[in-house]
Structures are given as C-alpha cells and as structure tokens.
Amino acid sequence: MDNKEKQNKEQQILAAAEQEFLTKGFDGARTTTIAKAAGVTHAMLHYYFRTKEQLFERIVDEKFKKMSQSIFAIIGDPKLPIVERIKGSITAHFDFIADNPLLPRFIINEIVSRPERYEVLHKRVGLIFETIYHDLQLEIDLAAERDEVERVDIKMLLISIMSLNIFTFIAYPFMEPLIGELTADREKFLAARKAENIETILRRIKKL
C-alpha cells in the first residue's frame, strides 16, 4: 500500500469516526461500526489508530484546528480594521458551526456525561482562546484610547460571540414549534440569524 492509499484509508476512517462520534458520543460509538462505514477491517482500523480514545482525540484535534484556522485567518490580519476583523471572526465561527452543526451538542454532552473528558476539550479550546485573547485585547485597548471603539473585555466579548452563535444551532431543533415560519427555510433563517448576531456584537463595540 503506497502513501497516497494509506492517506485515503486514514481519511475514510476519520470521516466515518467523525459521524459515529458526533451522532452517538464517545460511549455510544463503536469501532466496528466505524470500520464498516470506512470500508476497512477492524484490524486495519486499529493499525491506523490503536485505541478508540486516540481516534476520538484525533477528531477533536481536527475540528478545533479547522475552527482556529478559519478564525485566525481573519482576526489575525493586521491589514483590516479591528472592527472588520471582529465581524469577520463572528462570520467565520458561525459558518464553521453551520458546517458542523452536531459539534456543539456533542461537546456539551461529552462534558456532562464524562467530566474527565473536559481536560481534553479544555486543552484545545483554551489554546485557541488564549492565542486570540492577548493580541486582540491590546489592539482593542489602543483603539479605545483613540476613541474609535468602546473599551471591552475581549474574553467577555468572545464568550458573547460563542454564546450567540452556538445557541442558534443547539436550540434550532426546538425553535420550529415556536417560530415555525422563521425556521421553515433553514438557509434563510441561518443567514438572518448570522446577520443579527453580527449586529448585536458590533453594537457593543462601536462608538456611538
């Protein structure tokens, strides 16, 4: 088996594992099911990933890596004004969750059902959070001194961004009975919700 074929097999396993973990959680996921969905033998799956835990951590790493890359690409661009970078990061975060709608509920369920797994998730999220925080707080403080934006605590602002974006997808299945006319067209609803979240956050930081 050449390197390209090995990489293809690995990606097939990861794709199958992602679906299995996100829909069933760590405890409910079965490596036999993952192997079958990936079109490999159970022995081959364990050749690539020795344990279920190792496979799980790889999925978590991949997801948070993609999320951080999408956010950093915009928020870390010094050529853009700080307000535009924050707006872009809200959009990138929202779009990432839209592409991975099962992820927020999966993370919450894992933390609730297996508190020890919090350390795995905390390490990934904490690294992203701290990397964003320091430089952005400095820029916001300097912009506030120039009277360009309101002075804000970036940690609180990031919590607000994540709360607004994530709640949309966690609550979506329960919204239809209450506001069915708004959720009838999912793409239209998500576009409107994203615009609303952006406007809410920008009102917090824009100088009136």
Side-chain angles (χ1 to χ4, degrees):
M1 186 182 297
D2 59 25
N3 287 335
K4 185 175 181 180
E5 189 175 355
K6 285 182 179 179
Q7 289 176 354
N8 288 339
K9 288 293 183 185
E10 183 176 292
Q11 289 306 311
Q12 289 169 8
I13 292 170
L14 288 172
E18 178 182 324
Q19 184 65 22
E20 182 78 356
F21 282 126
L22 292 185
T23 55
K24 299 179 182 178
F26 181 85
D27 290 335
R30 297 289 178 265
T31 53
T32 51
T33 305
I34 294 171
K36 184 178 180 180
V40 300
T41 65
H42 198 237
M44 183 174 288
L45 183 146
H46 283 287
Y47 168 77
Y48 282 96
F49 301 96
R50 293 183 180 181
T51 65
K52 180 179 170 182
E53 184 82 22
Q54 187 183 76
L55 186 54
F56 172 84
E57 292 194 12
R58 175 67 179 273
I59 296 297
V60 172
D61 281 340
E62 292 277 338
K63 286 299 175 186
F64 284 110
K65 181 179 179 181
K66 288 179 180 177
M67 181 177 72
S68 62
Q69 286 174 340
S70 66
I71 295 172
F72 287 153
I74 299 170
I75 208 165
D77 186 352
K79 297 188 294 296
L80 294 175
I82 189 65
V83 172
E84 287 302 310
R85 288 157 65 184
I86 291 174
K87 179 180 177 180
S89 69
I90 300 169
T91 300
H93 182 248
F94 190 99
D95 290 344
F96 172 81
I97 302 174
D99 290 337
N100 300 272
L102 298 176
L103 189 60
R105 189 174 295 131
F106 163 77
I107 292 173
I108 292 171
N109 288 341
E110 286 300 308
I111 291 174
V112 170
S113 63
R114 302 188 67 183
E116 70 275 11
R117 194 161 303 288
Y118 173 77
E119 290 303 319
V120 175
L121 299 171
H122 177 267
K123 185 168 69 173
R124 274 66 172 186
V125 176
L127 180 62
I128 296 170
F129 205 81
E130 289 302 320
T131 303
I132 293 174
Y133 167 69
H134 293 290
D135 291 344
L136 200 57
Q137 185 65 66
L138 178 60
E139 290 190 55
I140 282 286
D141 290 344
L142 291 173
E145 290 176 8
R146 296 192 298 268
D147 207 32
E148 297 171 357
V149 298
E150 295 289 348
R151 188 176 296 276
V152 294
D153 183 326
I154 284 298
K155 287 187 176 180
M156 296 302 293
L157 192 70
L158 291 174
I159 289 171
S160 296
I161 291 170
M162 289 189 291
S163 299
L164 285 169
N165 285 347
I166 290 171
F167 180 79
T168 299
F169 296 91
I170 290 179
Y172 184 84
F174 310 105
M175 290 181 184
E176 192 169 0
L178 302 175
I179 50 173
E181 71 281 1
L182 290 178
T183 59
D185 185 328
R186 187 175 186 274
E187 289 189 13
K188 185 177 180 180
F189 169 76
L190 291 181
R193 191 65 235 165
K194 178 166 62 176
E196 184 70 21
N197 291 355
I198 290 171
E199 180 63 23
T200 298
I201 296 298
L202 292 189
R203 283 179 183 174
R204 173 66 184 88
I205 62 174
K206 282 182 176 178
K207 202 74 177 178
L208 299 178

